[in-house]
Amino acid sequence: MRPTYFSSLFTRTMREDPTDENVESAKLLVRGGYVRKMAPGVFAWLPLGLKVLENVEKAIREEMAHIGAQEVHLPALLPKSVYAPTGRWDEYGDNIFKLKDRHGADYLLAPTHEEPFTLLAKDLLSSYKDLPITLYQIQTKYRDEARPRAGLIRGREFIMKDAYSFTLDEEGMKACYSEEREAYEKVFRKLGISYVIVHAFSGPMGGSESEEFLCPLEIGEDTFVQAPSGKAWNVEALKTVEKEEDFSSLPLPKEISTPGGGSIASLEAFLEKEGISSQILKNIAVVLKAPDGKKSVAVVGLPSDRQLDLKRLEACLSPMEVSIAGEEDLKDHPELVKGFIGVGKVGPQASGPAKCPYFLDAHVFKGSSWCTGSDKKGFHTLNMVCGRDFECDKVVEAAQVKEGDLSPDGSGKLSIRRGVEIGQVFQLGLKYSRSMGFKVAGPDGSQKDVWMGSYGIGVSRIIACIAESYRDEKGLIWPITVAPFKVHIVCARKECKEECERLGVETSHFGLETLIDDRNESAGVKFADADLLGCPIIAIAGKGYMENGEIEIKIRKSGEVRKVQAREAAKEILALSEELRSNLLDSAHLE
Ligand code: ATP
Ligand code: MG
């Protein structure tokens, strides 16, 4: 191994933040010359960025090899026919980059590869003797994200590790799932990235059990809740604690005149003025959009002290997309009176042709009593009891989760946190093998179903999450396993050039990737760039070397400086690198 010289490195550091990046990690990755944005959510990787990427990939490959997964590489460009049998050509909606070839045939740039992996496995495997098998790739994915943001965190072109397991039965699938899950934990620990494992909603992937690995970060778009027991859930996967109460002694419904425009605030004020104490059931009209684009109207009932959470509702109604209904959407629904929508004209209670389905949030449990609209302007009804006076077509999770809500595992109150999804594991079951006709011959010659699992890691996203997690006002602070160079030698005086070279050759000899800043720049510029680049060990040859033959070894993370005689420096750096490596494994933790 040889040292790399900064003077010939293809990069450019910047003092000023780029104007088009909104999170600190993205600014630093651009300023440090790791990546360059070429279009929204599309990045070029410079040599420094590629080195970091290779380190992350290496950690993943090691753990994949450890569980016996085999690496392959599939194309990004695939025909519609591959994704049509599972319905995902349509289901993925606008998120897919679709294109046509010169003959007018439909193609896509793959957002994920369950279908082509199933086809490939079907092509090559025919007997129970071929199973179990886990295949994976580290490959570029394309998703036309509505809001590409936060640099590499949400790209439209990004790198993913995706693995797929094929087994003969459910038990085999579960075994592969836990192997893969364990491998993920090892990868994240090795990379020094914090993670929380949360129960997830499996979304358009289908299947049953699924968990996400979230890196806890304030800039994250995923909200998760954590119980005192440490268990965590993505809010979309959280089930409200079920309850049911006896309603035999509750008073009967009573209609009251309620002046005001029909807003929740005016109703609350009115009830308070009248001395009436009642929970309010708000009914919200929504539009459901099916994968084929067909739209319909439905009504969702939830307690008025909670916001409607469209993502949670969508998770219950998948693959439908849900949005709040506007006036135009409701023109054929005169029975839904704005501000006074009740329970009488919707769901099981309704009669007549314009019936809308009625969904009830799980907080509206059987036996609870409510004040709700009377389906006519200026009136509400008190004492409407769920299970006695109204029913619904489906119980859903539609209400926003609140800090302090009770945990489904009975361990106490939930706290709400934010994170970025860095990986997800799925038990897919038979969804893909069935729809793509993949079976193998069993020991008795009969055709057997193949059980599948799929497992993703956001390779490029992880880099951004690490950058976001470890940084200060001066720049990046890479964990030693991820850093593009372990040692960054700053030649602070031109008289020290020879000594820097000697030291760089020696540290390289020890197997430590070394960068020597040999540029014709001031010491100040070089120090600033060393902090910006964020390599874990910075060795400085300058005044101290000239006067006492000393090298200053600085730990980027703590700022601690150790002064050693030049001839001892390489050994000291090697020992320090080992120290940083073992600290890293201790500090990376499962929260
Ligand atoms: P998200 O909810 O953040 O959009 P997802 O659940 O749709 O992600 P998966 O289909 O589970 O993503 O993909 C596997 C992994 O790929 C994710 O855990 C994430 O780390 C990464 N990933 C997904 N979308 C992107 C993206 N647009 N840019 C970078 N990485 C991504
Ligand atoms: Mg996911």
Side-chain angles (χ1 to χ4, degrees):
M1 193 187 294
R2 287 187 187 175
T4 299
Y5 292 90
F6 209 144
S7 58
S8 52
L9 188 63
F10 179 61
T11 192
R12 167 168 298 197
T13 55
M14 293 157 58
R15 288 288 155 261
E16 300 298 321
D17 282 335
T19 51
D20 56 350
E21 290 297 354
N22 49 2
V23 302
E24 292 309 310
S25 54
K27 291 176 192 167
L28 289 173
L29 287 169
V30 172
R31 278 185 49 206
Y34 285 84
V35 295
R36 297 292 285 196
K37 190 190 275 186
M38 306 232 92
V42 181
F43 289 84
W45 295 81
L46 303 186
L48 282 174
L50 268 190
K51 280 180 176 294
V52 171
L53 184 61
E54 274 164 21
N55 290 337
V56 173
E57 291 182 353
K58 182 168 165 270
I60 294 173
R61 286 199 170 94
E62 281 167 3
E63 295 309 325
M64 287 299 109
H66 189 73
I67 59 167
Q70 298 181 54
E71 186 167 1
V72 295
H73 196 94
L74 270 62
L77 180 67
L78 286 157
K80 175 181 178 180
S81 57
V82 173
Y83 288 82
T86 56
R88 288 211 297 181
W89 171 267
D90 296 314
E91 250 174 54
Y92 245 100
D94 292 338
N95 260 18
I96 300 190
F97 279 105
K98 293 180 176 172
L99 57 158
K100 287 194 189 293
D101 73 3
R102 64 172 69 207
H103 307 294
D106 285 315
Y107 278 78
L108 57 67
L109 295 176
T112 174
H113 278 81
E114 279 73 13
E115 286 86 347
F117 265 86
T118 311
L119 280 183
L120 192 64
K122 180 182 169 186
D123 201 14
L124 268 74
L125 311 174
S126 55
S127 154
Y128 73 97
K129 292 179 198 151
D130 299 327
L131 305 182
I133 194 164
T134 298
L135 305 172
Y136 81 99
Q137 63 175 352
I138 296 178
Q139 189 260 5
T140 305
K141 301 272 183 278
Y142 296 86
R143 293 184 187 179
D144 194 1
E145 299 278 359
R147 280 175 300 280
R149 65 180 284 279
L152 298 174
I153 288 187
R154 188 169 295 286
R156 295 197 296 165
E157 177 181 276
F158 61 97
I159 301 163
M160 197 202 283
K161 185 279 331 190
D162 45 328
Y164 305 86
S165 64
F166 302 92
T167 46
L168 261 190
D169 50 26
E170 189 170 5
E171 220 169 72
M173 173 184 74
K174 287 187 188 258
C176 285
Y177 179 90
S178 41
E179 265 181 9
E180 198 79 29
R181 188 181 187 276
E182 223 168 277
Y184 276 32
E185 295 208 51
K186 287 191 185 153
V187 169
F188 298 144
R189 279 167 197 258
K190 219 179 236 181
L191 298 176
I193 187 169
S194 294
Y195 62 94
V196 180
I197 302 178
V198 309
H199 294 275
F201 155 67
S202 38
M205 290 289 178
S208 49
E209 182 71 20
S210 174
E211 287 163 297
E212 285 168 355
F213 290 74
L214 300 186
C215 175
L217 281 171
E218 269 310 306
I219 58 156
E221 287 182 275
D222 279 299
T223 307
F224 68 99
V225 290
Q226 203 163 22
S229 64
K231 267 200 179 162
W233 292 262
N234 188 318
V235 287
E236 287 148 57
L238 185 74
K239 290 264 169 288
T240 304
V241 178
E242 279 179 32
K243 219 158 100 171
E244 195 172 326
E245 273 171 14
D246 175 36
F247 52 76
S248 51
S249 59
L250 291 180
L252 292 176
K254 182 177 144 200
E255 192 169 87
I256 53 168
S257 160
T258 48
S263 72
I264 294 294
S266 67
L267 179 61
E268 272 171 355
F270 174 77
L271 293 179
E272 197 183 331
K273 196 174 100 232
E274 297 294 309
I276 301 169
S277 147
S278 172
Q279 325 180 70
I280 299 170
L281 173 65
K282 66 177 169 190
N283 289 311
I284 300 176
V286 294
V287 176
L288 308 181
K289 188 175 156 204
D292 63 4
K294 233 166 125 185
K295 289 186 176 179
S296 58
V297 173
V299 173
V300 191
L302 68 157
S304 68
D305 60 350
R306 287 178 189 260
Q307 302 285 332
L308 175 64
D309 184 330
L310 283 175
K311 276 175 102 181
R312 265 166 60 75
L313 180 58
E314 247 172 15
C316 296
L317 301 176
S318 171
M320 298 278 192
E321 282 174 35
V322 188
S323 56
I324 304 279
E327 248 165 59
E328 184 62 17
D329 302 305
L330 296 180
K331 65 181 189 322
D332 296 330
H333 291 275
E335 81 281 16
L336 305 179
V337 184
K338 193 165 185 271
F340 299 91
I341 303 177
V343 293
K345 303 283 170 76
V346 290
Q349 294 75 230
S351 54
K355 181 170 136 172
C356 291
Y358 187 48
F359 304 130
L360 263 181
D361 176 67
H363 290 89
V364 188
F365 56 87
K366 244 192 191 127
S368 57
S369 175
W370 303 86
C371 168
T372 193
S374 296
D375 298 314
K376 56 186 178 193
K377 210 168 164 41
F379 290 91
H380 282 84
T381 308
L382 293 171
N383 310 330
M384 290 293 283
V385 173
C386 179
R388 182 189 72 183
D389 305 315
F390 61 98
E391 305 273 350
C392 65
D393 295 293
K394 187 179 166 80
V395 175
V396 292
E397 298 290 345
Q400 198 180 34
V401 178
K402 284 188 181 172
E403 180 91 28
D405 280 351
L406 288 181
S407 165
D409 74 351
S411 74
K413 291 181 174 173
L414 295 168
S415 52
I416 298 189
R417 304 180 64 189
R418 297 189 76 76
V420 176
E421 184 189 318
I422 50 176
Q424 184 161 15
V425 286
F426 292 93
Q427 292 179 14
L428 295 175
L430 302 174
K431 171 172 168 160
Y432 293 88
S433 51
R434 282 250 167 102
S435 51
M436 308 198 81
F438 177 27
K439 288 183 185 242
V440 292
D444 59 358
S446 70
Q447 291 288 293
K448 294 262 179 256
D449 275 324
V450 176
W451 291 72
M452 287 175 57
S454 96
Y455 319 93
I457 291 185
V459 179
S460 44
R461 180 180 281 186
I462 279 184
I463 293 170
C465 288
I466 295 173
E468 188 66 31
S469 305
Y470 305 110
R471 60 185 165 78
D472 61 16
E473 66 294 343
K474 295 184 195 145
L476 297 158
I477 306 175
W478 294 112
I480 190 151
T481 41
V482 182
F485 296 99
K486 311 308 171 211
V487 193
H488 183 145
I489 300 176
V490 175
C491 188
R493 291 270 190 100
K494 58 180 181 306
E495 296 87 340
C496 303
K497 206 167 175 188
E498 253 173 52
E499 175 54 24
C500 287
E501 282 212 35
R502 195 200 57 74
L503 178 60
V505 169
E506 216 177 333
T507 48
S508 302
H509 244 61
F510 285 152
L512 298 171
E513 291 98 335
T514 303
L515 176 70
I516 303 176
D517 192 349
D518 59 335
R519 294 174 301 168
N520 280 329
E521 295 284 358
S522 70
V525 165
K526 291 183 180 179
F527 291 144
D529 277 346
D531 283 338
L532 175 60
L533 257 56
C535 298
I537 302 171
I538 301 170
I540 303 155
K543 198 160 156 249
Y545 178 73
M546 307 276 295
E547 289 171 3
N548 315 312
E550 277 176 355
I551 301 286
E552 281 181 33
I553 302 171
K554 183 175 125 178
I555 304 171
R556 172 67 180 92
K557 190 170 182 185
S558 63
E560 181 196 330
V561 176
R562 301 179 185 177
K563 290 183 183 170
V564 294
Q565 280 301 306
R567 61 180 180 284
E568 299 297 324
K571 264 198 223 133
E572 185 70 25
I573 288 171
L574 182 63
L576 179 57
S577 73
E578 293 304 329
E579 196 182 311
L580 292 178
R581 219 172 261 276
S582 56
N583 287 350
L584 171 80
L585 294 177
D586 291 343
S587 63
H589 55 284
L590 166 68
E591 290 215 0

